[in-house]
């Protein structure tokens, strides 16, 4: 075998090993992300106990993260502003913000096809509202 063929074989082999390693890391990170989303728990918050104010909350699962600003007035969700939403194809999940204000609860259904983003946004809102609870 010529020197050139050996060099090409070594380069191709090295690229294959690097590709397999990178693919393994990617699959591990996706698995960790899915586990973080599955581990999210939700509590129904009694808005009558939340003090009026403007609160920020966030949720970060690695692949998907959201930061929100929630305005509570007269113990009602007046508005929810999405400050950041890093997502894959989860943009449709942003529709749950208006639904939460309309229904006056964080306990809304996830958007089909954007379930993970829906959960992350919902948890960010819950985290914000929790800031308004007396300790």
């Amino acid at each position: 075998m010529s020197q050139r063929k050996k060099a090409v074989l070594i380069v191709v082999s090295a690229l294959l090993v690097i590709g397999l390693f990178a693919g393994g890391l990617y699959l591990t990170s996706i698995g960790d992300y899915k586990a973080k989303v599955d581990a999210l728990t939700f509590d129904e918050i009694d808005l009558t106990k939340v003090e009026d104010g403007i609160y920020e909350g966030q949720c970060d699962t690695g692949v998907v993260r959201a930061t929100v600003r929630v305005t509570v007035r007269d113990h009602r969700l007046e508005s929810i502003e999405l400050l950041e939403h890093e997502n894959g194809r989860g943009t449709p999940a942003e529709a749950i913000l208006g639904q939460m204000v309309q229904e006056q609860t964080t306990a809304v259904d996830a958007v089909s096809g954007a379930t993970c983003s829906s959960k992350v946004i919902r948890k960010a809102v819950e985290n914000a509202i929790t800031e308004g609870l007396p300790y």
Side-chain angles (χ1 to χ4, degrees):
M1 186 181 307
S2 72
Q3 291 289 25
R4 182 179 170 107
K5 286 184 181 181
K6 285 182 184 178
V8 169
L9 183 60
I10 290 171
V11 169
V12 168
S13 297
L15 290 174
L16 180 61
V17 168
I18 291 169
L20 288 172
F21 181 73
L25 287 177
Y26 173 75
L27 290 176
T28 299
S29 72
I30 293 299
D32 291 346
Y33 151 68
K34 290 285 191 181
K36 286 180 183 178
V37 171
D38 289 342
L40 290 176
T41 59
F42 301 95
D43 298 313
E44 183 61 31
I45 298 173
D46 182 356
L47 288 172
T48 64
K49 296 180 180 177
V50 179
E51 297 176 13
D52 289 358
I54 299 172
Y55 306 102
E56 287 190 12
Q58 56 183 260
C59 181
D60 186 349
T61 60
V63 175
V64 176
R65 85 174 144 263
T67 303
V68 296
R69 180 178 296 133
V70 179
T71 302
V72 176
R73 182 167 294 144
D74 296 325
H75 304 288
R76 295 182 50 81
L77 296 175
E78 183 173 272
S79 66
I80 304 172
E81 180 183 356
L82 187 62
L83 303 177
E84 176 189 24
H85 183 208
E86 293 290 327
N87 64 83
R89 298 179 310 248
T91 303
E94 296 170 7
I96 69 170
L97 297 171
Q99 188 178 0
M100 286 184 209
V101 172
Q102 181 179 355
E103 296 180 19
Q104 290 298 299
T105 183
T106 59
V108 297
D109 291 334
V111 173
S112 180
T115 304
C116 293
S117 280
S118 295
K119 288 180 175 182
V120 168
I121 291 171
R122 182 177 168 198
K123 189 63 178 180
V125 172
E126 182 181 301
N127 290 341
I129 294 170
T130 301
E131 294 295 314
L133 292 172
Y135 291 100

